[in-house]
Amino acid sequence: MAREIPESMELPLSWADSGQSVLKLNIRHLWLCGVWPLPGSWIFEVYGALGLVLGVWNAVESTLALYFCWGDMDESTMVFISTFSIGCGTVKMAFFMCNRRQYYALARSVEMLVSLQSEFCSADPALADIRQGSQRRASRLTIGLLLLMLSQYPVWFPMPLIARPDERRLPFAQHGWDNNTNFYELSYVVQCVIGAWTTQISNSVDLLFVCIMILTAAQLQILTMRIASLKREDIEVKLEKGISCVADQTENSCSDKMYEKLCQCIESHQNILRFVKHLEKTMSSIVMTQFSFSVLVTCVSLFQATYAEAVTLAAYSCSWLKASHRFKRALRILMSRAQKPLVLTAAHLYPMNREAFVSLVNASYSYYALLGQMTK
């Protein structure tokens, strides 16, 4: 079976190659995180392997922390959420490092995609604006989200020291076997490094695919405008039929020219479709990882809120028949309060529950339909 991608496409990129790429910011940030060598050395490989070791270390540390805090719902939930979030970045890093050749080929394919319709963009300023605008949006999105992530670390990492200054708390998993007494400062720094490193990797990989999708969408938009212009040219030909097509050209020659342009559009469309297939093959494992860990984090977050529904039944099941009036009155208050559902919210605006999810999906489709009608 012949290879779909030439071997030359899968060669490592140099630092100069990355500087000329439309994905320059994404590639160099992944290089900084230790997953994309430019072109790389044994020192870089050791640096990347250190990230994987720290990810495994966090998994072991969190497992031990869960063992010692099992039964404490608040503590267990915190450990689960941090473990899944950090684990997501670690697994993405492992997938990326195992499939580097695919990402080298993907970066080169993006360059070919962007230059696919460059001839037509050079002749039409409107098409050129679409291509340049997509590149600017991709760059701004990358820089903006990276700065947003970096701004969160000075807020979240010192929080245990600010919220509970009298306790020796760690940012994520607590060392229940020694009450955070041994190597506390070192453990604090290591957890902060692991959290920052893995979240940067996870965010950077996601941004890489998002930027590629923005560039791909721009190519499709350029293609639609080219096809629409063929329709307008067809109308002009019909209006001028019987008078003159274009100087010294027959109607048939005009039609042949339109047919050639249509064939060029079809060829561009086929190239875009092949690129999307390549993109889907490359990103499928990363997307599945993100989806799986996001579901786990959401489930753990909602579990603690929904678990309180059992409080009412437990209160009713106790031996309250022969208890004092004061006890029964307090028990009624507890049962009434427990019947009020505990709901996690997003920015104190939207509840994180099934009804809100269904409403979000419906609203998304409604906005999509509205935008489609406005575009028409």
Side-chain angles (χ1 to χ4, degrees):
M1 182 177 177
R3 289 175 56 88
E4 295 182 1
I5 301 175
E7 292 186 3
S8 59
M9 296 281 288
E10 298 181 344
L11 295 177
L13 277 71
S14 66
W15 183 267
D17 293 335
S18 67
Q20 299 173 358
S21 173
V22 292
L23 301 173
K24 171 184 175 180
L25 295 176
N26 305 93
I27 294 175
R28 292 190 173 180
H29 184 253
L30 286 168
W31 168 81
L32 186 63
C33 293
V35 295
W36 193 311
L38 292 174
S41 63
W42 69 269
I43 298 177
F44 184 86
E45 297 299 332
V46 171
Y47 172 58
L50 177 62
L52 292 177
V53 170
L54 289 177
V56 174
W57 169 267
N58 177 262
V60 174
E61 182 184 42
S62 300
T63 302
L64 292 174
L66 283 172
Y67 175 79
F68 282 93
C69 72
W70 196 255
D72 187 338
M73 184 176 297
D74 291 334
E75 196 67 41
S76 299
T77 302
M78 176 64 182
V79 175
F80 270 121
I81 293 175
S82 63
T83 303
F84 291 148
S85 300
I86 294 175
C88 181
T90 303
V91 174
K92 285 183 179 179
M93 184 179 187
F95 275 127
F96 197 102
M97 295 175 70
C98 291
N99 300 286
R100 283 174 175 170
R101 295 174 66 88
Q102 290 186 5
Y103 289 95
Y104 301 154
L106 180 64
R108 290 188 169 92
S109 298
V110 170
E111 294 301 318
M112 296 174 60
L113 176 73
V114 172
S115 62
L116 181 64
Q117 304 180 89
S118 58
E119 176 185 353
F120 307 99
C121 293
S122 300
D124 191 337
L127 301 183
D129 289 341
I130 295 175
R131 186 179 64 172
Q132 295 172 3
S134 65
Q135 296 178 14
R136 286 194 298 268
R137 285 195 300 273
S139 299
R140 291 170 181 172
L141 179 65
T142 301
I143 295 175
L145 288 182
L146 289 179
L147 292 177
L148 177 63
M149 291 289 294
L150 292 174
S151 67
Q152 302 304 305
Y153 299 142
V155 176
W156 287 105
F157 289 160
M159 194 56 63
L161 304 176
I162 299 173
R164 300 182 181 180
D166 298 333
E167 302 179 20
R168 296 169 64 87
R169 299 279 299 178
L170 292 171
F172 304 121
Q174 309 303 317
H175 296 175
W177 55 90
D178 63 358
N179 294 323
N180 299 336
T181 55
N182 297 324
F183 304 104
Y184 171 73
E185 292 79 8
L186 178 61
S187 299
Y188 201 107
V189 172
V190 170
Q191 287 194 7
C192 292
V193 171
I194 293 174
W197 198 342
T198 54
T199 52
Q200 283 294 310
I201 290 174
S202 181
N203 186 54
S204 184
V205 173
D206 294 341
L207 278 175
L208 174 69
F209 292 130
V210 170
C211 291
I212 293 176
M213 292 176 187
I214 291 175
L215 298 174
T216 306
Q219 291 298 314
L220 287 170
Q221 187 177 358
I222 292 172
L223 179 61
T224 57
M225 292 186 65
R226 288 174 55 195
I227 296 175
S229 67
L230 292 178
K231 183 178 180 181
R232 289 195 296 269
E233 183 177 348
D234 181 55
I235 294 174
E236 292 173 0
V237 170
K238 289 182 178 180
L239 291 176
E240 297 176 356
K241 186 190 239 182
I243 303 175
S244 68
C245 222
V246 176
D248 298 331
Q249 288 186 348
T250 65
E251 180 182 343
N252 290 332
S253 65
C254 292
S255 299
D256 291 342
K257 184 177 181 181
M258 285 187 60
Y259 177 74
E260 292 177 2
K261 291 184 177 181
L262 178 61
C263 290
Q264 293 175 348
C265 292
I266 294 174
E267 183 180 1
S268 299
H269 187 228
Q270 291 175 340
N271 289 330
I272 295 173
L273 293 179
R274 281 193 289 269
F275 172 80
V276 172
K277 184 179 179 180
H278 179 202
L279 175 62
E280 189 274 337
K281 182 179 178 180
T282 304
M283 68 182 292
S284 58
S285 57
I286 299 293
V287 173
M288 188 62 190
T289 299
Q290 182 65 53
F291 176 78
S292 301
F293 279 93
S294 297
V295 170
L296 289 174
V297 171
T298 304
C299 289
V300 171
S301 301
L302 294 177
F303 173 76
Q304 187 174 12
T306 57
Y307 189 81
E309 295 178 359
V311 174
T312 300
L313 180 60
Y316 184 77
S317 301
C318 71
S319 301
W320 56 270
L321 292 175
K322 298 181 180 180
S324 63
H325 291 289
R326 184 173 61 177
F327 179 87
K328 293 179 181 178
R329 184 168 58 252
L331 189 65
R332 287 198 301 270
I333 295 174
L334 172 63
M335 294 176 65
S336 299
R337 180 60 185 86
Q339 289 176 353
K340 182 180 180 181
L342 298 176
V343 179
L344 299 176
T345 63
H348 304 287
L349 296 175
Y350 302 103
M352 294 174 58
N353 53 27
R354 183 180 60 185
E355 291 76 12
F357 177 76
V358 174
S359 176
L360 178 62
V361 173
N362 292 334
S364 299
Y365 180 77
S366 300
Y367 293 145
Y368 164 77
L370 177 62
L371 290 175
Q373 291 298 325
M374 291 175 62
T375 303
K376 292 179 181 179

mmCIF file of all heavy atoms in Angstrom, residues 328-359:
data_model
loop_
_atom_site.group_PDB
_atom_site.id
_atom_site.type_symbol
_atom_site.label_atom_id
_atom_site.label_comp_id
_atom_site.label_asym_id
_atom_site.label_seq_id
_atom_site.Cartn_x
_atom_site.Cartn_y
_atom_site.Cartn_z
ATOM 1 N N LYS A 328 -36.542 16.910 67.010
ATOM 2 C CA LYS A 328 -37.395 16.801 65.822
ATOM 3 C C LYS A 328 -37.443 18.114 65.062
ATOM 4 O O LYS A 328 -37.457 18.128 63.825
ATOM 5 C CB LYS A 328 -38.805 16.394 66.240
ATOM 6 C CG LYS A 328 -38.889 14.982 66.818
ATOM 7 C CD LYS A 328 -40.311 14.662 67.242
ATOM 8 C CE LYS A 328 -40.400 13.255 67.852
ATOM 9 N NZ LYS A 328 -41.772 12.942 68.318
ATOM 10 N N ARG A 329 -37.462 19.215 65.794
ATOM 11 C CA ARG A 329 -37.504 20.507 65.121
ATOM 12 C C ARG A 329 -36.214 20.750 64.337
ATOM 13 O O ARG A 329 -36.243 21.211 63.195
ATOM 14 C CB ARG A 329 -37.713 21.604 66.174
ATOM 15 C CG ARG A 329 -37.856 22.998 65.550
ATOM 16 C CD ARG A 329 -38.351 24.008 66.576
ATOM 17 N NE ARG A 329 -37.449 24.089 67.715
ATOM 18 C CZ ARG A 329 -37.739 23.606 68.933
ATOM 19 N NH1 ARG A 329 -38.913 22.999 69.157
ATOM 20 N NH2 ARG A 329 -36.879 23.714 69.940
ATOM 21 N N ALA A 330 -35.102 20.430 64.944
ATOM 22 C CA ALA A 330 -33.821 20.597 64.248
ATOM 23 C C ALA A 330 -33.722 19.649 63.050
ATOM 24 O O ALA A 330 -33.173 20.003 61.995
ATOM 25 C CB ALA A 330 -32.660 20.353 65.215
ATOM 26 N N LEU A 331 -34.294 18.440 63.233
ATOM 27 C CA LEU A 331 -34.248 17.468 62.134
ATOM 28 C C LEU A 331 -35.105 17.935 60.959
ATOM 29 O O LEU A 331 -34.726 17.751 59.795
ATOM 30 C CB LEU A 331 -34.729 16.102 62.631
ATOM 31 C CG LEU A 331 -34.540 14.927 61.658
ATOM 32 C CD1 LEU A 331 -33.057 14.682 61.425
ATOM 33 C CD2 LEU A 331 -35.199 13.666 62.205
ATOM 34 N N ARG A 332 -36.247 18.548 61.220
ATOM 35 C CA ARG A 332 -37.085 19.078 60.142
ATOM 36 C C ARG A 332 -36.372 20.179 59.374
ATOM 37 O O ARG A 332 -36.465 20.265 58.145
ATOM 38 C CB ARG A 332 -38.405 19.603 60.711
ATOM 39 C CG ARG A 332 -39.377 18.528 61.145
ATOM 40 C CD ARG A 332 -40.780 19.080 61.274
ATOM 41 N NE ARG A 332 -40.846 20.163 62.250
ATOM 42 C CZ ARG A 332 -41.104 19.985 63.553
ATOM 43 N NH1 ARG A 332 -41.332 18.766 64.022
ATOM 44 N NH2 ARG A 332 -41.165 21.016 64.372
ATOM 45 N N ILE A 333 -35.671 21.016 60.106
ATOM 46 C CA ILE A 333 -34.909 22.083 59.438
ATOM 47 C C ILE A 333 -33.835 21.484 58.535
ATOM 48 O O ILE A 333 -33.630 21.924 57.390
ATOM 49 C CB ILE A 333 -34.279 23.017 60.488
ATOM 50 C CG1 ILE A 333 -35.367 23.743 61.274
ATOM 51 C CG2 ILE A 333 -33.335 24.016 59.811
ATOM 52 C CD1 ILE A 333 -34.842 24.584 62.419
ATOM 53 N N LEU A 334 -33.160 20.439 59.042
ATOM 54 C CA LEU A 334 -32.125 19.789 58.240
ATOM 55 C C LEU A 334 -32.716 19.164 56.982
ATOM 56 O O LEU A 334 -32.166 19.308 55.876
ATOM 57 C CB LEU A 334 -31.425 18.718 59.077
ATOM 58 C CG LEU A 334 -30.426 17.811 58.331
ATOM 59 C CD1 LEU A 334 -29.273 18.639 57.785
ATOM 60 C CD2 LEU A 334 -29.913 16.706 59.246
ATOM 61 N N MET A 335 -33.860 18.492 57.117
ATOM 62 C CA MET A 335 -34.485 17.837 55.965
ATOM 63 C C MET A 335 -34.972 18.865 54.948
ATOM 64 O O MET A 335 -34.850 18.668 53.733
ATOM 65 C CB MET A 335 -35.641 16.954 56.429
ATOM 66 C CG MET A 335 -35.208 15.759 57.281
ATOM 67 S SD MET A 335 -36.590 14.807 57.913
ATOM 68 C CE MET A 335 -37.292 14.167 56.398
ATOM 69 N N SER A 336 -35.504 19.976 55.436
ATOM 70 C CA SER A 336 -35.974 21.018 54.514
ATOM 71 C C SER A 336 -34.822 21.628 53.730
ATOM 72 O O SER A 336 -34.922 21.870 52.528
ATOM 73 C CB SER A 336 -36.716 22.110 55.296
ATOM 74 O OG SER A 336 -37.845 21.569 55.959
ATOM 75 N N ARG A 337 -33.737 21.858 54.446
ATOM 76 C CA ARG A 337 -32.573 22.437 53.754
ATOM 77 C C ARG A 337 -31.950 21.446 52.779
ATOM 78 O O ARG A 337 -31.487 21.816 51.696
ATOM 79 C CB ARG A 337 -31.519 22.873 54.780
ATOM 80 C CG ARG A 337 -30.267 23.480 54.161
ATOM 81 C CD ARG A 337 -30.612 24.712 53.350
ATOM 82 N NE ARG A 337 -29.456 25.248 52.652
ATOM 83 C CZ ARG A 337 -29.050 24.841 51.460
ATOM 84 N NH1 ARG A 337 -29.731 23.891 50.823
ATOM 85 N NH2 ARG A 337 -28.003 25.395 50.881
ATOM 86 N N ALA A 338 -31.957 20.165 53.138
ATOM 87 C CA ALA A 338 -31.354 19.152 52.276
ATOM 88 C C ALA A 338 -32.170 18.936 51.001
ATOM 89 O O ALA A 338 -31.632 18.458 49.996
ATOM 90 C CB ALA A 338 -31.210 17.830 53.026
ATOM 91 N N GLN A 339 -33.465 19.281 51.031
ATOM 92 C CA GLN A 339 -34.290 19.108 49.835
ATOM 93 C C GLN A 339 -34.020 20.179 48.790
ATOM 94 O O GLN A 339 -34.415 20.027 47.634
ATOM 95 C CB GLN A 339 -35.773 19.132 50.220
ATOM 96 C CG GLN A 339 -36.206 17.893 50.984
ATOM 97 C CD GLN A 339 -37.645 17.974 51.447
ATOM 98 O OE1 GLN A 339 -38.277 19.018 51.311
ATOM 99 N NE2 GLN A 339 -38.150 16.895 52.013
ATOM 100 N N LYS A 340 -33.341 21.226 49.186
ATOM 101 C CA LYS A 340 -32.946 22.253 48.220
ATOM 102 C C LYS A 340 -31.695 21.778 47.499
ATOM 103 O O LYS A 340 -30.667 21.547 48.133
ATOM 104 C CB LYS A 340 -32.679 23.574 48.932
ATOM 105 C CG LYS A 340 -32.299 24.708 47.986
ATOM 106 C CD LYS A 340 -32.051 26.004 48.744
ATOM 107 C CE LYS A 340 -31.667 27.122 47.794
ATOM 108 N NZ LYS A 340 -31.393 28.398 48.523
ATOM 109 N N PRO A 341 -31.762 21.586 46.192
ATOM 110 C CA PRO A 341 -30.613 20.995 45.487
ATOM 111 C C PRO A 341 -29.392 21.894 45.528
ATOM 112 O O PRO A 341 -29.484 23.129 45.487
ATOM 113 C CB PRO A 341 -31.129 20.832 44.052
ATOM 114 C CG PRO A 341 -32.217 21.843 43.924
ATOM 115 C CD PRO A 341 -32.861 21.941 45.284
ATOM 116 N N LEU A 342 -28.229 21.259 45.628
ATOM 117 C CA LEU A 342 -26.969 21.971 45.544
ATOM 118 C C LEU A 342 -26.582 22.068 44.077
ATOM 119 O O LEU A 342 -26.501 21.065 43.372
ATOM 120 C CB LEU A 342 -25.880 21.228 46.326
ATOM 121 C CG LEU A 342 -26.128 21.082 47.827
ATOM 122 C CD1 LEU A 342 -25.030 20.249 48.451
ATOM 123 C CD2 LEU A 342 -26.216 22.434 48.500
ATOM 124 N N VAL A 343 -26.349 23.264 43.611
ATOM 125 C CA VAL A 343 -26.082 23.481 42.197
ATOM 126 C C VAL A 343 -24.791 24.265 42.050
ATOM 127 O O VAL A 343 -24.605 25.304 42.687
ATOM 128 C CB VAL A 343 -27.239 24.247 41.514
ATOM 129 C CG1 VAL A 343 -26.931 24.483 40.043
ATOM 130 C CG2 VAL A 343 -28.540 23.475 41.664
ATOM 131 N N LEU A 344 -23.891 23.755 41.203
ATOM 132 C CA LEU A 344 -22.697 24.497 40.836
ATOM 133 C C LEU A 344 -23.051 25.411 39.673
ATOM 134 O O LEU A 344 -23.782 25.027 38.759
ATOM 135 C CB LEU A 344 -21.577 23.533 40.430
ATOM 136 C CG LEU A 344 -21.111 22.558 41.511
ATOM 137 C CD1 LEU A 344 -20.068 21.615 40.940
ATOM 138 C CD2 LEU A 344 -20.559 23.292 42.712
ATOM 139 N N THR A 345 -22.528 26.615 39.700
ATOM 140 C CA THR A 345 -22.848 27.586 38.661
ATOM 141 C C THR A 345 -21.589 28.057 37.960
ATOM 142 O O THR A 345 -20.481 27.945 38.491
ATOM 143 C CB THR A 345 -23.578 28.808 39.257
ATOM 144 O OG1 THR A 345 -22.698 29.475 40.188
ATOM 145 C CG2 THR A 345 -24.847 28.393 39.957
ATOM 146 N N ALA A 346 -21.783 28.572 36.766
ATOM 147 C CA ALA A 346 -20.707 29.194 36.001
ATOM 148 C C ALA A 346 -20.838 30.698 36.155
ATOM 149 O O ALA A 346 -21.795 31.292 35.650
ATOM 150 C CB ALA A 346 -20.785 28.786 34.531
ATOM 151 N N ALA A 347 -19.866 31.295 36.876
ATOM 152 C CA ALA A 347 -19.864 32.744 37.121
ATOM 153 C C ALA A 347 -21.135 33.202 37.824
ATOM 154 O O ALA A 347 -21.576 34.336 37.643
ATOM 155 C CB ALA A 347 -19.677 33.518 35.814
ATOM 156 N N HIS A 348 -21.731 32.327 38.637
ATOM 157 C CA HIS A 348 -22.952 32.634 39.383
ATOM 158 C C HIS A 348 -24.126 32.989 38.470
ATOM 159 O O HIS A 348 -25.075 33.643 38.897
ATOM 160 C CB HIS A 348 -22.716 33.785 40.375
ATOM 161 C CG HIS A 348 -21.598 33.530 41.331
ATOM 162 N ND1 HIS A 348 -21.702 32.637 42.370
ATOM 163 C CD2 HIS A 348 -20.342 34.025 41.387
ATOM 164 C CE1 HIS A 348 -20.557 32.612 43.048
ATOM 165 N NE2 HIS A 348 -19.719 33.443 42.459
ATOM 166 N N LEU A 349 -24.052 32.538 37.216
ATOM 167 C CA LEU A 349 -25.101 32.857 36.258
ATOM 168 C C LEU A 349 -25.841 31.615 35.777
ATOM 169 O O LEU A 349 -27.071 31.602 35.773
ATOM 170 C CB LEU A 349 -24.504 33.594 35.051
ATOM 171 C CG LEU A 349 -23.877 34.975 35.331
ATOM 172 C CD1 LEU A 349 -23.236 35.525 34.077
ATOM 173 C CD2 LEU A 349 -24.918 35.940 35.869
ATOM 174 N N TYR A 350 -25.103 30.581 35.377
ATOM 175 C CA TYR A 350 -25.712 29.410 34.770
ATOM 176 C C TYR A 350 -25.450 28.175 35.627
ATOM 177 O O TYR A 350 -24.298 27.895 35.969
ATOM 178 C CB TYR A 350 -25.164 29.180 33.355
ATOM 179 C CG TYR A 350 -25.384 30.351 32.442
ATOM 180 C CD1 TYR A 350 -24.353 31.225 32.134
ATOM 181 C CD2 TYR A 350 -26.635 30.582 31.878
ATOM 182 C CE1 TYR A 350 -24.555 32.301 31.292
ATOM 183 C CE2 TYR A 350 -26.843 31.662 31.029
ATOM 184 C CZ TYR A 350 -25.802 32.516 30.745
ATOM 185 O OH TYR A 350 -26.017 33.581 29.916
ATOM 186 N N PRO A 351 -26.490 27.430 35.969
ATOM 187 C CA PRO A 351 -26.294 26.203 36.753
ATOM 188 C C PRO A 351 -25.695 25.104 35.893
ATOM 189 O O PRO A 351 -26.009 24.974 34.707
ATOM 190 C CB PRO A 351 -27.719 25.847 37.204
ATOM 191 C CG PRO A 351 -28.608 26.430 36.150
ATOM 192 C CD PRO A 351 -27.927 27.694 35.687
ATOM 193 N N MET A 352 -24.823 24.306 36.493
ATOM 194 C CA MET A 352 -24.208 23.183 35.783
ATOM 195 C C MET A 352 -25.044 21.932 36.034
ATOM 196 O O MET A 352 -24.751 21.116 36.908
ATOM 197 C CB MET A 352 -22.763 22.981 36.254
ATOM 198 C CG MET A 352 -21.834 24.119 35.913
ATOM 199 S SD MET A 352 -20.188 23.930 36.619
ATOM 200 C CE MET A 352 -19.714 22.342 35.912
ATOM 201 N N ASN A 353 -26.110 21.777 35.271
ATOM 202 C CA ASN A 353 -26.965 20.595 35.398
ATOM 203 C C ASN A 353 -27.454 20.181 34.020
ATOM 204 O O ASN A 353 -27.129 20.792 33.002
ATOM 205 C CB ASN A 353 -28.139 20.867 36.335
ATOM 206 C CG ASN A 353 -28.923 22.123 35.944
ATOM 207 O OD1 ASN A 353 -28.944 22.512 34.772
ATOM 208 N ND2 ASN A 353 -29.531 22.771 36.916
ATOM 209 N N ARG A 354 -28.267 19.126 33.991
ATOM 210 C CA ARG A 354 -28.718 18.580 32.714
ATOM 211 C C ARG A 354 -29.593 19.570 31.965
ATOM 212 O O ARG A 354 -29.477 19.736 30.742
ATOM 213 C CB ARG A 354 -29.486 17.287 32.960
ATOM 214 C CG ARG A 354 -29.948 16.591 31.681
ATOM 215 C CD ARG A 354 -30.693 15.325 32.005
ATOM 216 N NE ARG A 354 -31.871 15.607 32.805
ATOM 217 C CZ ARG A 354 -32.678 14.666 33.315
ATOM 218 N NH1 ARG A 354 -32.394 13.398 33.125
ATOM 219 N NH2 ARG A 354 -33.731 15.006 34.027
ATOM 220 N N GLU A 355 -30.494 20.255 32.683
ATOM 221 C CA GLU A 355 -31.386 21.193 32.027
ATOM 222 C C GLU A 355 -30.603 22.330 31.363
ATOM 223 O O GLU A 355 -30.918 22.748 30.238
ATOM 224 C CB GLU A 355 -32.390 21.760 33.031
ATOM 225 C CG GLU A 355 -33.420 20.751 33.538
ATOM 226 C CD GLU A 355 -32.854 19.782 34.553
ATOM 227 O OE1 GLU A 355 -31.726 20.040 35.041
ATOM 228 O OE2 GLU A 355 -33.511 18.767 34.853
ATOM 229 N N ALA A 356 -29.583 22.813 32.063
ATOM 230 C CA ALA A 356 -28.774 23.886 31.495
ATOM 231 C C ALA A 356 -28.008 23.416 30.268
ATOM 232 O O ALA A 356 -27.838 24.161 29.296
ATOM 233 C CB ALA A 356 -27.801 24.429 32.544
ATOM 234 N N PHE A 357 -27.537 22.160 30.301
ATOM 235 C CA PHE A 357 -26.819 21.625 29.142
ATOM 236 C C PHE A 357 -27.726 21.543 27.922
ATOM 237 O O PHE A 357 -27.347 21.937 26.808
ATOM 238 C CB PHE A 357 -26.256 20.249 29.483
ATOM 239 C CG PHE A 357 -25.557 19.578 28.334
ATOM 240 C CD1 PHE A 357 -24.288 19.978 27.949
ATOM 241 C CD2 PHE A 357 -26.174 18.553 27.637
ATOM 242 C CE1 PHE A 357 -23.641 19.370 26.888
ATOM 243 C CE2 PHE A 357 -25.539 17.933 26.580
ATOM 244 C CZ PHE A 357 -24.268 18.341 26.206
ATOM 245 N N VAL A 358 -28.952 21.019 28.123
ATOM 246 C CA VAL A 358 -29.896 20.919 27.008
ATOM 247 C C VAL A 358 -30.244 22.304 26.488
ATOM 248 O O VAL A 358 -30.331 22.540 25.273
ATOM 249 C CB VAL A 358 -31.164 20.162 27.449
ATOM 250 C CG1 VAL A 358 -32.213 20.179 26.340
ATOM 251 C CG2 VAL A 358 -30.828 18.731 27.828
ATOM 252 N N SER A 359 -30.439 23.250 27.414
ATOM 253 C CA SER A 359 -30.746 24.618 27.008
ATOM 254 C C SER A 359 -29.599 25.234 26.221
ATOM 255 O O SER A 359 -29.816 25.965 25.239
ATOM 256 C CB SER A 359 -31.047 25.466 28.250
ATOM 257 O OG SER A 359 -31.253 26.815 27.911
#
